[in-house]
Amino acid sequence: MSDVAFARAGPEAPGLFRLRTIVILIVVGVAAFAAMVVGAAYAPGSAPKGGGAAHAVSNSAVGYSGIIRLAQAAGYETRVVRDEEMLDSRGLMVLTPQTADTPMSDVIVRRRGLPTLIVLPKWATVTDPKHPGWVVHFGLLPASEPYGVLAPANKLTITRTKSGGAPLLADGWLSDSGVQIKAPRPLQTISGANLKPLLTGKDGRIVLAQLGEGPLYVLADGDLLANIGMRDADSAAAAIDLLDQLNVSNEPISFDVTLVGLGRSPNPLRLAFDPPFLAMTLTLVAAMLLAGWQAFARFGPAVRRERAIAFGKAALVDNSAMLIRKARRQARLGGRYAEVIRERAVIAFGVPAKLRDKAIDDYLDRMGGRAKFSELAAAADDAADRQELVAAAQALHDWQKEKGK
């Protein structure tokens, strides 16, 4: 058996594609595949819905998706931060922690010197099973929840009062901004050391304050920015104006969702294009290019393939032996080997032609020697494995050699 050979077409039989066309197709295909891989590695992730909690991608009453869309419609550049690497980006960053155990210290340290607005949690809600994206509120959270967001570094007192919807009063450097916004019902306020009031209720309680000397701000009542406050046009416009005053720059206004567990996980494919794994990627690309070059330009003379089955009796015997060995049937050849030795002994020792089968074995046994032929033949026929077969065959060979002397 040999491999099928295909002859080259002669000059009169042109190929389907020219070599140049094939090379161009391969180059374009490889470039397109590489672009797809790189694009998949650095493409931004899809935005999850995020349920109905109080965060930037929530459409519920306590969410903040409304003010983001409103700011975009008003011409402000906004973004939702899903990558922790972007927490120290320039421009105002709005943080919306949900519970007292939200880790805030690292974020505050990273945002040092950058405008940051921390919105304290207010309402206790659960997802509305009848309306996806909505929530059902059970009332106000315990005061320990908004208090614990900045504790123990900043110990704030949380107070809830009936505001009656009266306008809030601008204070401090915000008093010259002209910001006018109505107080939510009920109104959540804060008090404590190191606070500089920027928005207060009619009784002087702080709603928005600057914490310390840097541009770190604390909003006690998130309803001022939440979707529930966007239903009033004047309140919505005032909320946009408030964010613009706190931003104090032309940088985008960012809304973080990593603190509420909606951050985008790192793309494993991107690791292949970032140091230190970039070196390994370039090495693999170079190896593939060399393999492709070898496919088009052979290194050295072509090596002629050998036949699957060689010519000659020896090759036929070897192939037959290989098949028997592959099938693990060597032990079943003991009886046939004993018959071959018996036929050779009949000719070599002049056994009478009239004798048959057992009579031949009896004749050979009477020739004497250290072992009887019938016993050796029976041992070869009963061999159970390769080792027993080899031992029995060797004994028959020695018997024939002994008698031939």
Side-chain angles (χ1 to χ4, degrees):
M1 183 185 298
S2 62
D3 294 333
V4 180
F6 294 92
R8 290 182 177 271
E12 68 281 356
L16 183 60
F17 294 104
R18 294 183 178 181
L19 179 60
R20 183 176 61 182
T21 304
I22 297 176
V23 172
I24 292 175
L25 289 175
I26 293 177
V27 171
V28 171
V30 171
F33 178 75
M36 181 190 69
V37 172
V38 175
Y42 288 92
S46 59
K49 299 300 182 184
H55 52 72
V57 293
S58 172
N59 294 325
S60 69
V62 296
Y64 302 100
S65 61
I67 195 170
I68 295 177
R69 293 196 296 266
L70 183 60
Q72 292 172 346
Y76 292 92
E77 184 180 357
T78 64
R79 61 189 172 197
V80 176
V81 175
R82 300 180 182 276
D83 190 348
E84 294 183 357
E85 297 297 327
M86 296 180 61
L87 288 177
D88 54 359
S89 58
R90 300 179 63 85
L92 178 65
M93 176 76 70
V94 181
L95 306 176
T96 57
Q98 303 290 293
T99 58
D101 58 355
T102 303
M104 297 292 297
S105 57
D106 292 342
V107 181
I108 293 175
V109 171
R110 292 182 60 177
R111 297 291 303 172
R112 183 174 297 169
L114 298 173
T116 306
L117 175 61
I118 301 175
V119 183
L120 299 181
K122 178 180 180 181
W123 296 104
T125 62
V126 294
T127 303
D128 188 349
K130 298 180 180 179
H131 302 87
W134 291 20
V135 293
V136 177
H137 78 277
F138 294 99
L140 298 172
L141 286 169
S144 58
E145 290 296 330
Y147 165 82
V149 170
L150 295 175
N154 298 277
K155 297 181 179 180
L156 306 178
T157 301
I158 308 299
T159 307
R160 280 77 178 258
T161 60
K162 296 180 179 180
S163 65
L168 298 177
L169 304 177
D171 199 352
W173 62 263
L174 196 61
S175 58
D176 297 331
S177 63
V179 174
Q180 295 182 353
I181 188 169
K182 296 179 182 179
R185 302 180 184 181
L187 178 63
Q188 180 171 279
T189 60
I190 56 175
S191 60
N194 209 21
L195 292 180
K196 298 179 180 180
L198 296 178
L199 279 179
T200 63
K202 60 182 181 180
D203 55 358
R205 297 182 183 274
I206 301 174
V207 179
L208 174 66
Q210 179 178 348
L211 182 59
E213 300 297 329
L216 177 61
Y217 310 102
V218 181
L219 179 61
D221 200 315
D223 289 351
L224 296 178
L225 304 180
N227 297 334
I228 192 173
M230 297 300 102
R231 58 187 176 182
D232 183 77
D234 294 335
S235 297
I240 294 294
D241 191 18
L242 176 62
L243 292 182
D244 183 58
Q245 294 295 327
L246 298 180
N247 195 19
V248 299
S249 68
N250 294 325
E251 300 291 339
I253 301 175
S254 303
F255 291 80
D256 168 74
V257 293
T258 62
L259 292 178
V260 296
L262 296 179
R264 184 174 64 247
S265 59
N267 189 343
L269 185 60
R270 185 171 178 175
L271 295 177
F273 300 97
D274 290 338
F277 300 102
L278 179 60
M280 181 181 68
T281 302
L282 294 178
T283 302
L284 293 176
V285 171
M288 289 188 292
L289 290 177
L290 289 175
W293 180 25
Q294 185 179 15
F296 281 95
R298 188 188 301 274
F299 292 95
V303 178
R304 187 180 183 88
R305 294 185 62 182
E306 298 181 355
R307 288 178 54 86
I309 299 179
F311 290 111
K313 294 181 180 179
L316 182 59
V317 172
D318 290 340
N319 287 326
S320 300
M322 181 184 65
L323 291 175
I324 295 173
R325 187 164 54 252
K326 288 284 186 181
R328 297 181 179 179
R329 293 293 186 269
Q330 302 99 314
R332 301 182 63 179
L333 298 178
R336 299 298 303 273
Y337 183 74
E339 292 180 5
V340 172
I341 298 297
R342 182 184 291 108
E343 293 175 358
R344 295 181 63 179
V346 167
I347 298 173
F349 304 143
V351 178
K354 63 180 180 179
L355 299 180
R356 295 288 185 274
D357 301 332
K358 187 176 182 304
I360 297 177
D361 292 351
D362 294 339
Y363 182 88
L364 295 176
D365 288 344
R366 289 194 296 269
M367 294 179 65
R370 289 177 296 178
K372 294 182 178 182
F373 174 81
S374 59
E375 295 176 354
L376 298 178
D381 190 35
D382 296 337
D385 53 31
R386 181 175 179 272
Q387 288 75 13
E388 293 182 7
L389 175 64
V390 172
Q394 184 65 45
L396 283 172
H397 177 75
D398 294 341
W399 178 86
Q400 182 183 14
K401 187 177 180 180
E402 177 187 355
K403 301 306 179 192
K405 293 181 179 180

